[in-house]
């Protein structure tokens, strides 16, 4: 019996090292059952279905693979983190995105106050999920949840980002005011702050510290807070075109100038975008978009033989040979539309007007003057083919160039305008331009709603 018991003990001992190890054929298997050990095991693969697994992994690599939230030495930031997740609706976000079924107070109290009652594996799991929730929260605060330019995969890659959530979270842990550091991930624009203040002031939506299910007005503000995040408006100097309000605002630190604009019609909507105005063009020549040329100009030319000449349109084939326009030529173009293109020469009838503000974008749209100034008398102005037409374009150009504190730029514009010649004036300091789609704004606590055009 003694022999059998001893043999059993020997067998269990050998099994702990791997039975084949007795013959020298396998290395020992010793599992690290500390919280740090379990954190490393969980992060070896996305076993927890994290929203930002690579970001979480980088966070723990920088943190030494140690528990960040469930250790007993300092829990101030842990409770503040939980409070932030409790009330994410205060930031126009949804609790469902931050592991609400697992990040609960009862198990956290036990982990910290009676740590022996909770396994290290569960502690590691809680710690990782809380880190993922905070990184997700900060990304959502800064970029928004559905940013068309910054998907969750792109943010998780962490390459050349304007805001890096895991680094910001590591820095926040070093701050006395942890919650303030987390909240600083939000946009710093007055526009966003006004929306958030209104969200907190609305009656009938509070219960304790958090919001009930949002009503229609709250929902609208939440949607537009998300859109402001996409625009990344943090500067004191920028141009904002808001499509539903048909307005352009030139924002400077000390004042805001407002202009009327015409935007894209419902069949050719103006896209939202972020870019920089880099130069102006006087008396520009316009290469007509092919759809406009074939679907609109050619039919008008067939109805009116003088249409192309009266509106300064020139037609060329793909070898850049000029095409004399008559009915037979137009019918030939209709039959083979891909073999021809049209341009409109500079002049007062040019669809781009006398001045264009150029900025890089994938949609090939412009901000420009227009000869049809009567459109600005209308309250609703969705009439363009995606481009943005601005009233008082010269005044806007003067404000932009005046901000550069260089009189030569405006002098060049004025001279080119007098001579009615095409000229590019490059800006020394590019002007950020934000094209937004805000269906409501908050000014001095009052909500202004706009029609949802598209």
């Amino acid at each position: 019996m003694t022999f059998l018991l001893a043999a059993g003990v020997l067998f269990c001992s050998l099994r702990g090292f791997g039975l084949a190890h007795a013959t020298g054929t396998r290395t020992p298997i010793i599992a690290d059952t500390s919280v740090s050990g379990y954190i490393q095991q969980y992060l070896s693969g996305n076993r927890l279905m994290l929203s930002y697994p690579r970001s979480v992994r980088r966070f723990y690599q920088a943190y030494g693979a140690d528990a960040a939230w469930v250790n007993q030495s300092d829990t101030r930031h842990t409770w503040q983190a939980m409070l932030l997740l409790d009330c994410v609706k205060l930031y126009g976000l949804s609790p469902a995105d931050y592991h609400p079924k697992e990040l609960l107070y009862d198990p956290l109290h036990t982990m910290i106050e009676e740590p022996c009652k909770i396994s290290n594996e569960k502690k590691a799991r809680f710690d990782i999920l809380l880190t993922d929730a905070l990184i997700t929260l900060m990304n959502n605060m800064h970029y928004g949840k559905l940013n068309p330019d910054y998907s969750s995969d792109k943010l998780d890659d962490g390459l050349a980002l304007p805001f890096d959530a895991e680094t910001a979270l590591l820095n926040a842990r070093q701050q006395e005011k942890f919650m303030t550091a987390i909240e600083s991930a939000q946009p710093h624009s007055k526009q966003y702050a006004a929306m958030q203040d209104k969200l907190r002031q609305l009656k009938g939506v509070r219960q304790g510290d958090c919001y009930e299910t949002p009503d229609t007005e709250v929902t609208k503000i939440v949607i537009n807070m998300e859109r402001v995040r996409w625009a990344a408006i943090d500067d004191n100097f920028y141009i904002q075109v808001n499509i539903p309000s048909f307005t352009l605002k030139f924002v400077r630190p000390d004042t805001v100038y407002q202009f009327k604009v015409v935007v894209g019609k419902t069949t050719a909507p103006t896209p939202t975008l972020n870019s920089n105005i880099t130069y102006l063009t006087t008396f520009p020549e316009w290469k007509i978009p092919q759809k406009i040329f074939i679907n609109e100009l050619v039919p008008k030319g067939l109805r009116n033989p003088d249409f192309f000449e009266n509106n300064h349109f020139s037609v060329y084939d793909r070898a850049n040979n000029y095409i004399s326009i008559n009915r037979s030529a137009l019918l030939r173009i209709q039959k083979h539309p891909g073999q021809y293109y049209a341009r409109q020469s500079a002049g007062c009838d040019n669809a781009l007007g006398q001045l264009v503000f150029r900025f890089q974008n994938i949609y090939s749209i412009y901000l420009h003057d227009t000869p049809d100034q009567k459109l600005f008398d209308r309250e609703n102005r969705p009439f363009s083919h995606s481009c943005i037409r601005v009233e008082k374009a010269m005044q806007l150009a003067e404000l932009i160039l005046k901000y550069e504190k260089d009189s030569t730029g405006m002098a060049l514009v004025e001279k080119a305008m007098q001579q009615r010649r095409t000229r590019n004036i490059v800006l020394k300091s590019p002007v950020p331009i934000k094209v937004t789609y805000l269906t409501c704004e908050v000014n001095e606590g009052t909500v202004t709603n706009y029609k949802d055009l598209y």
Side-chain angles (χ1 to χ4, degrees):
M1 174 69 89
T2 303
F3 174 77
L4 291 174
L5 180 61
V9 172
L10 178 61
F11 176 79
C12 291
S13 299
L14 290 174
R15 185 176 60 181
F17 285 92
L19 184 60
H21 181 66
T23 62
T25 60
R26 184 179 295 179
T27 56
I29 300 173
I30 305 174
D32 184 351
T33 57
S34 67
V35 176
S36 297
Y38 278 116
I39 286 175
Q40 293 182 57
Q41 290 179 49
Y42 273 122
L43 295 180
S44 63
N46 191 12
R47 294 165 54 193
L48 297 180
M49 299 302 292
L50 305 177
S51 299
Y52 291 90
R54 295 185 292 278
S55 301
V56 171
R57 198 173 296 120
R58 289 193 297 270
F59 173 88
Y60 282 103
Q61 286 172 351
Y63 202 71
D66 199 5
W69 314 103
V70 300
N71 52 32
Q72 293 78 47
S73 58
D74 186 357
T75 60
R76 291 173 303 160
H77 294 164
T78 306
W79 299 116
Q80 290 173 13
M82 293 291 286
L83 181 60
L84 281 166
L85 296 179
D86 266 355
C87 291
V88 294
K89 289 182 181 179
L90 294 172
Y91 311 103
L93 300 169
S94 171
D97 295 324
Y98 309 102
H99 307 298
K101 294 181 179 180
E102 299 195 72
L103 295 177
L104 302 172
Y105 280 94
D106 284 347
L108 179 59
H109 273 289
T110 304
M111 288 177 205
I112 292 174
E113 296 168 8
E114 300 178 274
C116 292
K117 291 187 177 182
I118 299 285
S119 70
N120 286 342
E121 182 177 6
K122 288 183 178 179
K123 291 175 187 175
R125 182 185 181 90
F126 192 101
D127 207 273
I128 292 170
L129 290 174
L130 183 52
T131 298
D132 184 58
L134 290 169
I135 288 174
T136 304
L137 175 63
M138 296 176 80
N139 276 329
N140 291 169
M141 281 179 167
H142 189 85
Y143 296 102
K145 181 180 176 181
L146 302 171
N147 194 311
D149 297 320
Y150 290 98
S151 66
S152 58
D153 282 343
K154 183 174 182 178
L155 296 178
D156 206 22
D157 285 338
L159 302 175
L161 295 173
F163 173 80
D164 178 2
E166 73 263 15
T167 300
L169 180 57
L170 285 163
N171 292 336
R173 287 191 55 80
Q174 308 302 316
Q175 306 300 317
E176 185 67 27
K177 295 182 178 180
F178 175 78
M179 294 179 71
T180 301
I182 298 295
E183 289 178 321
S184 68
Q186 297 179 99
H188 299 155
S189 70
K190 294 178 181 178
Q191 196 171 45
Y192 179 89
M195 288 183 181
Q196 188 176 50
D197 288 344
K198 187 63 179 180
L199 184 65
R200 290 172 171 171
Q201 293 168 6
L202 284 171
K203 295 180 180 180
V205 293
R206 275 188 179 273
Q207 183 183 36
D209 290 329
C210 296
Y211 286 113
E212 290 276 20
T213 302
D215 61 13
T216 303
E217 188 172 9
V218 171
T219 300
K220 195 166 190 177
I221 291 175
V222 166
I223 289 170
N224 286 283
M225 286 173 67
E226 170 81 358
R227 291 169 176 166
V228 173
R229 293 186 186 108
W230 299 352
I233 300 175
D234 284 330
D235 304 309
N236 291 319
F237 173 55
Y238 60 92
I239 285 174
Q240 180 184 2
V241 175
N242 188 43
I243 298 166
S245 62
F246 307 105
T247 56
L248 179 151
K249 293 178 182 178
F250 179 51
V251 180
R252 294 175 58 173
D254 54 343
T255 188
V256 177
Y257 300 90
Q258 185 161 306
F259 297 80
K260 295 179 180 180
V261 295
V262 169
V263 299
K265 51 191 176 183
T266 54
T267 55
T270 298
T272 59
L273 57 86
N274 297 335
S275 189
N276 293 284
I277 296 174
T278 53
Y279 68 100
L280 317 179
T281 303
T282 59
F283 284 89
E285 186 178 62
W286 182 35
K287 183 177 180 180
I288 314 300
Q290 198 68 4
K291 286 185 178 180
I292 297 176
F293 172 41
I294 300 302
N295 297 335
E296 298 185 27
L297 303 190
V298 172
K300 288 180 179 179
L302 288 170
R303 291 194 297 268
N304 178 5
D306 299 324
F307 173 77
F308 275 76
E309 182 178 353
N310 291 342
N311 290 281
H312 311 291
F313 291 115
S314 301
V315 179
Y316 304 85
D317 63 20
R318 291 301 171 184
N320 296 318
N321 298 310
Y322 174 77
I323 305 299
S324 180
I325 292 299
N326 51 43
R327 184 172 180 79
S328 62
L330 290 173
L331 290 172
R332 189 166 63 252
I333 292 168
Q334 245 184 358
K335 190 175 181 180
H336 304 285
Q339 297 179 13
Y340 303 91
Y341 68 93
R343 302 190 76 90
Q344 187 180 40
S345 61
C348 61
D349 292 326
N350 189 316
L352 298 182
Q354 299 179 4
L355 190 61
V356 177
F357 304 80
R358 307 278 189 179
F359 51 91
Q360 186 175 7
N361 65 93
I362 62 173
Y363 309 101
S364 298
I365 68 168
Y366 313 105
L367 172 65
H368 62 86
D369 181 29
T370 176
D372 194 358
Q373 293 289 309
K374 291 182 179 180
L375 290 178
F376 295 112
D377 295 333
R378 302 193 186 186
E379 183 177 354
N380 297 312
R381 298 182 289 274
F383 300 115
S384 80
H385 294 88
S386 300
C387 283
I388 304 159
R389 309 175 194 173
V390 60
E391 188 183 31
K392 302 177 182 177
M394 277 293 290
Q395 181 181 341
L396 178 60
E398 185 176 3
L399 288 170
I400 291 173
L401 292 166
K402 184 178 180 181
Y403 188 82
E404 291 197 326
K405 298 179 180 179
D406 183 0
S407 59
T408 58
M410 196 60 207
L412 291 173
V413 171
E414 290 174 347
K415 184 176 181 180
M417 297 291 276
Q418 290 171 0
Q419 296 175 346
R420 305 181 69 82
R421 58 182 284 225
T422 301
R423 180 161 192 169
N424 293 327
I425 294 89
V426 178
L427 300 179
K428 294 181 178 179
S429 301
V431 180
I433 180 169
K434 318 286 185 177
V435 182
T436 60
Y437 194 87
L438 305 182
T439 53
C440 77
E441 292 183 279
V442 179
N443 297 297
E444 297 182 354
T446 301
V447 179
T448 302
N449 294 302
Y450 308 115
K451 181 181 178 181
D452 191 340
L453 296 176
Y454 306 145

